[in-house]
Amino acid sequence: MSALEQLIEALRRLPGIGQKSAQRMAYHLLQHDRAGAQQLAQALQHASAVVGHCQRCHTFSEHALCPICSNAARDARLLCVVESPADQAAMERTGSYAGYYFVLQGRLSPLDGVRPQDIGVRELLERVSDGVVDEVILATSFTAEGEATAHVLAELLKNRGLRSTRLARGVPVGSELEYVDLGTIAHALVDRRAT
C-alpha cells in the first residue's frame, strides 16, 4: 500500500469519514497544506503519547486528575454521569453545572456485546459510595442504548440508597412546534413543569 493509500485509510478510521471524504482530506493536506499535515501528525503523535484517563472521573487527562476533578470549588454532592469526554465537554460549555463528572466511556449495547462491566459501572458504584455524593445526574443520550444505560444505572443506584435524576427532554429552545418530531413533543408533555 502506498503512503497516500495509507493516509487515506488512516483518515477513514475517523467517525463519519468515508472513502471520498478521506481522499479529499488527504489530497488537500498534501497539495495545499503540508505544514498543516505536519502539525496534525505531530499533534496526533503527542496526544496519543501523553493523554490518558483521569483516575477519578475517567475523562481524558494529561495528569492523574483532570482539571475538573482537581477543582475543590466544585460541588462534591453532585455527580453527572456522561457517556464520553465529548458529552462532558458539552455539559461544561453550558456553564450551568458546577459538580463533578463520571465518564462511562460508552453505553450499554447488548446487541454489540457491551455489558455493564465494559463501561465502568463498577468504578461508578465505587465512586458514589464515598458518602459525599447526594445526587447522581444521569446524562446519557436519549437513544435506545442511552436509555437502557440510564435505566440500569438508576436501578443500581436505587438499590444502594442513592438518589438519581435524569436530564429532562423537551422542545429545543428557538424551535417551532410544527417542525419538532412527535416523540420530542410527547416527552415534553410528560416532563412539563409549572411556570
Side-chain angles (χ1 to χ4, degrees), residues 8 15 17 29 37 39 57-58 72-73 76 93-94 98 103 109 114 130 133 135 143 148 153 173-174 186 188:
I8 292 168
I17 303 297
L29 288 169
Q39 182 182 3
C57 74
H58 301 151
R93 283 193 304 272
T94 69
V103 181
S109 181
V114 180
D130 63 2
V133 175
E135 177 184 358
T143 62
L153 293 177
V173 173

Side-chain angles (χ1 to χ4, degrees), residues 33-183:
D33 194 5
R34 291 273 176 151
Q38 287 296 322
Q39 182 182 3
L40 178 62
Q42 290 169 356
L44 280 169
Q45 190 171 28
H46 180 67
S48 67
V50 302
V51 175
H53 293 281
C54 173
Q55 292 175 357
R56 191 166 185 219
C57 74
H58 301 151
T59 195
F60 292 133
S61 179
E62 293 182 36
H63 306 287
L65 291 180
C66 70
I68 292 172
C69 287
S70 299
N71 184 350
R74 295 189 76 104
D75 188 346
R77 296 170 300 155
L78 299 174
L79 186 70
C80 182
V81 178
V82 294
E83 294 174 9
S84 71
D87 294 339
Q88 178 190 5
M91 291 289 292
E92 277 298 288
R93 283 193 304 272
T94 69
S96 59
Y97 178 70
Y100 291 105
Y101 293 93
F102 187 89
V103 181
L104 292 169
Q105 297 291 344
R107 59 182 166 221
L108 297 178
S109 181
L111 295 177
D112 296 323
V114 180
R115 303 168 313 230
Q117 58 267 33
D118 299 324
I119 60 169
V121 171
R122 187 184 83 249
E123 293 88 348
L124 171 63
L125 294 175
E126 288 172 11
R127 170 77 176 83
V128 298
S129 298
D130 63 2
V132 177
V133 175
D134 179 51
E135 177 184 358
V136 179
I137 302 165
L138 301 174
T140 57
S141 61
F142 290 105
T143 62
E145 293 88 356
E147 292 284 358
T149 303
H151 176 74
V152 167
L153 293 177
E155 288 299 313
L156 290 170
L157 293 166
K158 184 171 118 180
N159 291 341
R160 291 177 174 251
L162 293 164
R163 181 169 71 108
S164 67
T165 56
R166 183 85 166 104
L167 287 183
R169 296 175 276 203
V171 178
V173 173
S175 63
E176 297 181 31
L177 279 181
E178 67 180 296
Y179 301 113
V180 176
D181 69 277
L182 298 179

